[in-house]
Amino acid sequence: MSEIKVPAMGESITEGTVSRWMVKEGDTVNQGDVLLELETDKVNIEISAEESGVLEKIIRQEGETVEIGETIGTLSAGAGGGSGTAASEPAAAESKPAAPAPEAPAAAPATAAPPEASDSSKTASPSARKLARERGIELDQVQSKDPIGRVYQDDVKSHGSQPSAPSAPAAPKAPAAAPAAPTSGGSTYAKPVERQRMSRRRATIAKRLVEAQQTAAMLTTFNEVDMTAIMDVRKRRKDKFKEKHDINLGFMSFFTKAVVGALKKFPTINAEIDGEDVVLKKFYDIGIAVSAKEGLVVPVVRDADRLGFAEIEKSIADLASKARSNTLALSDLQGGTFTITNGGTFGSLLSTPILNTPQVGILGMHKIQLRPVAIDAERMENRPMMYIALSYDHRIIDGSEAVRFLVTVKELLEDPESLLIEG
């Protein structure tokens, strides 16, 4: 028998949460099969079987917090190819000919046929299926909170805590009596609520954002960029760019180049505070904030100062794809020196981004919107304008330095050809 242990997951991660088991006790697994998924502060990690055998016991259940090196299950070594049920019932195999053996897996769920019938039409985690069988609940009747419809253990628990189906129609009658309540001094009926447990990543994001506001002297300065020149370059060059590099020419490469150029002029903004020291970083690893299913993540474009426009676009596209498919590695998230976040993708016109500590600067991009702009004393034109925001740590960055940094970013963006020199 071998122990299933929580593996080392990076220098900054000491624990995780069992997100879901992919197999159940008694199941036969082959070497390399995924046993469970662990959720950490930064990424989700799959733990695979190191040898073939039968999952003997699940020690730590879904939702439980586990530490590095902790035993979370046991696996008994043995020949694969059969079901866990057949392996654990040798007596039944001896008392019958070999032919009826395939019927063994069907025998177990026979006592809970309705839930099993729904298994084929609804995707559910192993623990959700088990709980549904125990409670006699049909999975087809369980409402899932998952965007793709997968049913988890909490969904089954929530379903089980609701009134039975026959009494459900009575629920709308409760509000009918409500109008009378205020006239007698108050309402006594309960309002409908739904309670959801924070994921480990969401809780970590919340903790870090609060810490950033409590530990840094954070201020934000604003400016606006006339995007006419960049949009003109993209319009003229996008087809040839796509044909040559097999990637679209987006806005992020321009902003990354502009940020690198400005950081070279104002190195304190590419630094961090270590006790009473200021650590000036002579490299430019730019974090790009990406919205994923379970919260914001900031994968890093390494050595952005050495990359061309196409290399930056490809790197960002690759990292965004990994973030959305939950396949980012820890190395993709560590060591950024400055961050760019684009609220404009969701329609944000203006915001004050929060520092991604220990970094001391973050640039916020926003929605491009046509606005009337004074060209000179006599002319007005509608131009595609974007507000940009720099949040910075005032402990080591002076206001004048922050303003000049943002002005430099603006000037580089409004003269895209200069990015070939300054970036």
Side-chain angles (χ1 to χ4, degrees), residues 373-394:
V373 176
I375 305 303
D376 53 37
E378 298 179 353
R379 293 183 301 150
M380 298 282 289
E381 288 185 10
N382 286 331
R383 294 288 185 91
M385 304 298 293
M386 176 193 287
Y387 289 120
I388 56 175
L390 173 71
S391 291
Y392 60 98
D393 193 335
H394 204 7

Side-chain angles (χ1 to χ4, degrees), residues 227-241 249-251 254:
M227 299 290 288
T228 301
I230 288 179
M231 295 181 77
D232 179 61
V233 170
R234 292 181 71 241
K235 182 178 180 180
R236 289 187 289 107
R237 300 288 186 179
K238 65 178 182 180
D239 291 338
K240 288 185 178 180
F241 188 89
L249 178 59
F251 292 109
F254 289 94

Side-chain angles (χ1 to χ4, degrees), residues 163-398:
S164 60
S167 62
K173 296 181 180 180
T183 61
S184 60
S187 173
T188 58
Y189 68 91
K191 300 284 188 179
V193 298
E194 179 179 337
R195 184 182 296 273
Q196 295 182 349
R197 183 178 179 179
M198 276 191 184
S199 68
R200 169 173 288 275
R201 190 172 306 159
R202 174 59 63 185
T204 300
I205 291 172
K207 179 181 178 181
R208 291 193 64 189
L209 292 179
V210 171
E211 286 177 351
Q213 291 184 309
Q214 291 177 340
T215 59
M218 192 171 67
L219 293 179
T220 306
T221 185
F222 304 93
N223 213 314
E224 62 179 350
V225 178
D226 185 343
M227 299 290 288
T228 301
I230 288 179
M231 295 181 77
D232 179 61
V233 170
R234 292 181 71 241
K235 182 178 180 180
R236 289 187 289 107
R237 300 288 186 179
K238 65 178 182 180
D239 291 338
K240 288 185 178 180
F241 188 89
K242 177 66 178 293
E243 181 181 345
K244 181 177 180 179
H245 302 291
D246 195 29
I247 189 74
N248 291 322
L249 178 59
F251 292 109
M252 290 306 301
S253 53
F254 289 94
F255 276 83
T256 302
K257 283 284 190 181
V259 161
V260 169
L263 289 174
K264 288 181 177 180
K265 289 187 176 181
F266 302 95
T268 307
I269 302 177
N270 196 51
E272 69 176 69
I273 299 174
D274 183 13
E276 295 185 356
D277 296 332
V278 175
V279 181
L280 299 172
K281 299 178 180 179
K282 304 297 185 179
F283 57 96
Y284 304 90
D285 288 353
I286 307 301
I288 306 295
V290 177
S291 179
K293 175 186 172 183
E294 297 184 4
L296 192 72
V297 291
V298 188
V300 178
V301 177
R302 305 290 176 188
D303 298 317
D305 57 318
R306 303 179 184 179
L307 303 180
F309 281 79
E311 292 171 308
I312 292 174
E313 292 291 352
K314 288 179 180 179
S315 180
I316 292 174
D318 179 57
L319 292 170
S321 176
K322 286 183 177 181
R324 296 185 180 107
S325 63
N326 201 26
T327 56
L328 283 169
L330 290 174
S331 58
D332 293 324
L333 301 168
Q334 296 173 334
T337 62
F338 185 92
T339 294
I340 302 174
T341 179
N342 185 6
T345 57
F346 304 104
S348 172
L349 188 62
L350 192 64
S351 67
T352 55
I354 297 178
L355 291 174
N356 182 23
T357 55
Q359 298 170 22
V360 294
I362 180 171
L363 179 75
M365 299 167 56
H366 300 91
K367 179 183 178 181
I368 300 172
Q369 184 166 296
L370 284 175
R371 291 197 290 274
V373 176
I375 305 303
D376 53 37
E378 298 179 353
R379 293 183 301 150
M380 298 282 289
E381 288 185 10
N382 286 331
R383 294 288 185 91
M385 304 298 293
M386 176 193 287
Y387 289 120
I388 56 175
L390 173 71
S391 291
Y392 60 98
D393 193 335
H394 204 7
R395 290 179 297 171
I396 62 171
I397 301 171
D398 293 332

Side-chain angles (χ1 to χ4, degrees), residues 33-34 39 59 74 134 143 145 163 199 260 280 332 401:
D33 287 352
V34 177
E39 181 183 3
I59 298 175
T74 57
E134 293 173 350
Q143 291 187 348
K145 303 181 185 71
S199 68
V260 169
L280 299 172
D332 293 324
E401 188 176 20

